[in-house]
Amino acid sequence: MKVPFNKPYLPETAFEFIREAGQLNHLSGDGIFTRRVEDWMRSMLGVEHVLLTTSCTSALEMAMILTGAGPGDEVIVPSFTFVSCANAVVLRGATPVFADVDPATLSVSPETIEEAVTARTRVVMPVHYAGVAPQITEVVEFCEQRGLSVIEDAAHAFLGRTDSKPLGTFGNFGAFSFHETKNFSMGEGGALVVRSDADCDRAEIIREKGTNRRQFFNGMVDKYTWVDIGSSYVPSEILAAVLWAQFSEADTIRSRRAMLWERYDNALRPWAAQHGFTRPIVPANSEPTYHIYYVLAPDSATRNRLLHRLQALGVGAVFHYLPLEESVFGQQFRRHPCPNSTSASERLVRLPLFHTMTLDEIDFVIDCVTTERS
Ligand SMILES: *Cc1c(COP(=O)(O)O)cnc(C)c1O
């Protein structure tokens, strides 16, 4: 048997919805499927403003433009994250400052942010690793007290909650990803939550190449023109239709992922304890998204042995982020070491997890992890 790390999901209904978009003669962005997707997200998240975007990367870029941070300003980004966070900062001419992560959550905490704060800090960009963020309330409080804006990278965290509040709605901005590797997907895509009305007016313009096109179509102005900086951040209706097909199955997708995640966790508990591996935490105040099932090996040699063994057996297990301050481009921004990030990077293994995974497949993976064959 071979089990891939992820299997992109394209439900049959997606084709019906794409056909419907075609029949309405509307394949560019902001048609009825974009509206449906955004309305559903607004109601699930309990917020006023959600904009569908071409990716989480674009949503982070838009959020960075909206903060107004630029040359001379510093933005705190976790060391242990995807490059999109740091690129969004660098594209504005601002300086990314890499913060270490908490070893239990693999996300930044008030303590690790404090180590990175200077008089030039303007923005903090917490990432909810694996869709769990037990300390986000404290992180946002810390930032509010110091007048710092917060951009949540909630790429892993759509429909996750902390203290019953949806992730992506704690900060000034929240960015989601609907890339094919995420829980809900349109192939490539994302969304931006904007908390203030004024920011949202500007976000709509930035998303539409710096024009007031949305106001024009809403009948608020009688012509549309170039009014601000912006780029092409509006996804096609074809992709919005695919996302709508996935949202229509949200309950199934969520409950399958939860069941599979729990199956890993129950089956691997004794093995992990015996071999010195750490399992992911499920904090009492959090509703997880079950985006990633990972284990942390006691050391990097043990991690590498497990990865190679699984790959040889046909299991698509993978590592995750390399610390950004150790990357080719990120080294120039290095300030202080981030030992927890380095350690997680060397010890982490992600196991295959996708909601269409069969019980035979997951049990095969579990067997490959727990049974040492010579
Ligand atoms: C996937 C991911 C992104 C990028 O998402 P795209 O939609 O592919 O741009 C950004 N941040 C994190 C933490 C991610 O996991």
Side-chain angles (χ1 to χ4, degrees), residues 14-138:
F15 298 99
E16 267 168 51
F17 294 153
I18 292 169
R19 211 171 294 118
E20 198 180 325
Q23 282 158 357
L24 292 166
N25 292 313
H26 189 133
L27 296 181
S28 62
D30 281 340
I32 65 158
F33 287 101
T34 303
R35 207 44 46 86
R36 276 185 203 167
V37 160
E38 289 179 349
D39 285 347
W40 189 76
M41 289 185 72
R42 264 191 281 274
S43 73
M44 294 303 282
L45 298 170
V47 292
E48 286 280 311
H49 309 300
V50 177
L51 297 172
L52 197 65
T53 60
T54 44
S55 64
C56 179
T57 304
S58 331
L60 294 169
E61 288 175 18
M62 288 176 62
M64 272 305 302
I65 294 173
L66 289 161
T67 64
D73 296 326
E74 293 178 357
V75 179
I76 296 178
V77 170
S79 153
F80 193 67
T81 185
F82 194 55
V83 288
S84 299
C85 301
N87 264 324
V89 175
V90 173
L91 283 168
R92 302 312 308 147
T95 304
V97 175
F98 299 117
D100 204 0
V101 291
D102 183 289
T105 61
L106 307 185
S107 297
V108 293
S109 66
E111 292 73 32
T112 69
I113 293 170
E114 183 132 48
E115 283 173 357
V117 168
T118 74
R120 291 178 181 272
T121 309
R122 288 278 303 277
V123 183
V124 177
M125 202 184 284
V127 175
H128 309 319
Y129 188 76
V132 170
Q135 289 178 293
I136 187 63
T137 309
E138 291 78 9

Side-chain angles (χ1 to χ4, degrees), residues 26 38-39 41 57 62 76 105 144 147 177 184 188 193 212 217-218 220 234 249 280 282 302-303 316 332 341-342:
H26 189 133
E38 289 179 349
D39 285 347
M41 289 185 72
T57 304
M62 288 176 62
I76 296 178
T105 61
E144 275 171 358
S177 175
F184 299 92
E188 299 270 3
V193 169
N212 54 355
F217 281 108
N218 292 341
M220 289 154 70
V234 178
E249 296 178 25
V282 188
T302 309
R303 189 279 299 269
Q332 63 186 302
S341 166
T342 303

Side-chain angles (χ1 to χ4, degrees), residues 152-163:
E152 293 177 72
D153 177 339
H156 303 177
F158 182 53
L159 303 182
R161 287 163 184 263
T162 295
D163 302 325

Side-chain angles (χ1 to χ4, degrees), residues 254-264 359 362:
R254 290 170 77 189
S255 58
R256 285 282 309 175
R257 289 193 85 97
M259 182 275 288
L260 293 162
W261 197 101
E262 298 287 353
R263 194 172 180 94
Y264 270 137
L359 294 184
I362 192 169

